[in-house]
Amino acid sequence: MRQLTGQLMSVRIAQYLAENPVGLFPIPRLYPPAGPDAVRALGERARQPLEAGYREFLSLTDGLDGFDLTMPLFGCKDWVEEDGPGAAALHFLDGLWEADTPVDLAFPRMWHSSRCR
């Protein structure tokens, strides 16, 4: 994951400098790693285990700006802040849990158990 993240940043920075006038799109940027407490809190907030690759990504950087033009890769900070960019997605996820929708979408049973709520 470390090598992949480094390669991605190299490519995105080169593209940014070659193709985009300064200020048109966000400069590709990594953040300091998310701590274990932040990763654990995000999993609890999402009420499901985080995918291993995403946990590894968060151990390298708490998000990446300019992944593709204006699209960031969210870090813990983006999901847990009440007005963060991931807040609406988590509110939507809450609605799915409250409506008992995950079972209807054939999510694994363990995601729907009372342990994850």
Side-chain angles (χ1 to χ4, degrees):
M1 181 61 71
R2 183 175 304 276
Q3 183 179 8
L4 180 62
T5 303
Q7 289 172 345
L8 174 62
M9 285 303 294
S10 294
V11 168
R12 288 299 301 130
I13 289 170
Q15 287 174 339
Y16 177 84
L17 295 174
E19 299 172 2
N20 301 310
V22 175
L24 184 59
F25 297 114
I27 296 171
R29 175 177 46 189
L30 295 172
Y31 291 90
D37 291 340
V39 174
R40 188 172 27 264
L42 177 57
E44 289 172 5
R45 175 64 182 92
R47 296 190 249 178
Q48 61 189 32
L50 301 179
E51 195 271 333
Y54 186 54
R55 286 193 316 269
E56 185 178 356
F57 171 76
L58 293 171
S59 75
L60 299 172
T61 177
D62 193 11
L64 187 155
D65 286 342
F67 166 67
D68 183 37
L69 302 178
T70 61
M71 183 175 67
L73 293 179
F74 287 171
C76 292
K77 64 182 173 25
D78 300 306
W79 292 107
V80 297
E81 293 176 1
E82 197 57 37
D83 60 345
L90 286 175
H91 289 299
F92 179 73
L93 181 61
D94 287 340
L96 293 177
W97 282 112
E98 290 168 10
D100 214 21
T101 305
V103 169
D104 295 341
L105 295 177
F107 286 171
R109 193 64 145 150
M110 63 164 278
W111 287 8
H112 194 261
S113 72
S114 60
R115 293 178 312 198
C116 293
R117 287 187 180 203

